[in-house]
Amino acid sequence: MDSAACAPDRAPVPSAEGIAPVFDTLVVVGPGLIGSSVLRRAKEYGTLARRVIAVDISPEVCARVAELGIADEVTTDAAQAAAVADCVMLCVPVGAMGPVAASVLPAMRPGAILTEVGSTKVSVIEAITPYLRPDVPYVPAHPMAGTEFSGPDAGFATLFEDRWCLLTPLESTPADAVKAVRTLWERCGARLREMAPAHHDRVCAMVSHLPHLLAFTICGTADDLADETRSEVLDFAASGFRDFTRIAASDPIMWRDIFLLNRDALLEMLARFMEDAQAMARAIRWGDEDYIVDRIERGRKIRKSLIENRQA
């Protein structure tokens, strides 16, 4: 869907490359890592939107976005920006999705699209649904890309290259709205797949949320050790522990919300992991070499498959 489909009174504006942008005006609420990367992609490539507006409640963040030059306009007024948008993308923590949606949806024009990038889908959809309008299509999405850094300085235009973006459209979501959001993420370089919201949450609990939980916990365990031992842990940290600390450097508020709002799926995966960890402990205790080697080989195969799938 181009901007003409989003807002019939506006024709798509060809970019410098001769490709019409997906939207005339794209509003990004929350220019953190994901949001600022979308803004950079839009500004550098010119194929996402003719005009991009960044919104944040923090005047300091807005000032930094303006200084970086990654948006055509910057404002703290989400409703005012939403009123002129063909698409509003919410890039705020999942716990804030409902209140932010409540502030922008009444101002949005008929036919404009609401989308978001939440890492949990069932909870976000439930939070946004009470405020939905029949004339404003809603397309939930989750770009599975990121780093441990946050804020407008953390983004970069190629963040989504070859990374998966999962779409979880509602049954009532118009096909042309889904197509527009799909095209936006494809032009960000992402690989697209659609799935049901509950299935999304179980998948992400395993491949994203549980690894972060383990990383935070392992670093906490290391920090709780006696002073002398803790110092040695930090001084002599090998690459395995360093990898955990990289993950553990992620934004605490964002991950607090993800853990709490994907509680059921995360606890299910954690329980399965704890059973497997206990099985490995028994194998080590009783010298079960075959079991230990089998688990290591399975890990190696997974790593190889990630490399072959261009996800590592």
Side-chain angles (χ1 to χ4, degrees), residues 168-193:
T168 62
L170 312 181
E171 290 185 4
S172 60
T173 305
D176 56 353
V178 177
K179 182 180 178 181
V181 175
R182 171 181 283 273
T183 300
L184 181 147
W185 287 112
E186 287 174 343
R187 292 186 182 182
C188 285
R191 304 160 73 177
L192 276 292
R193 182 171 296 178

Side-chain angles (χ1 to χ4, degrees), residues 117-129:
V117 300
S119 298
T120 68
K121 280 286 153 283
V122 172
S123 66
V124 168
I125 291 170
E126 289 177 348
I128 290 177
T129 295

Side-chain angles (χ1 to χ4, degrees), residues 34 46 122 197 203-204 228 234 256 261 305 308:
I34 299 296
V122 172
V203 169
C204 290
E228 180 179 350
L234 299 180
R256 176 203 65 189
L261 292 173
S305 68
E308 292 173 347

Side-chain angles (χ1 to χ4, degrees), residues 129-154:
T129 295
Y131 310 107
L132 290 178
R133 292 165 39 188
D135 58 348
V136 175
Y138 167 42
V139 185
H142 177 201
M144 298 187 68
T147 71
E148 68 272 29
F149 303 108
S150 58
D153 288 278

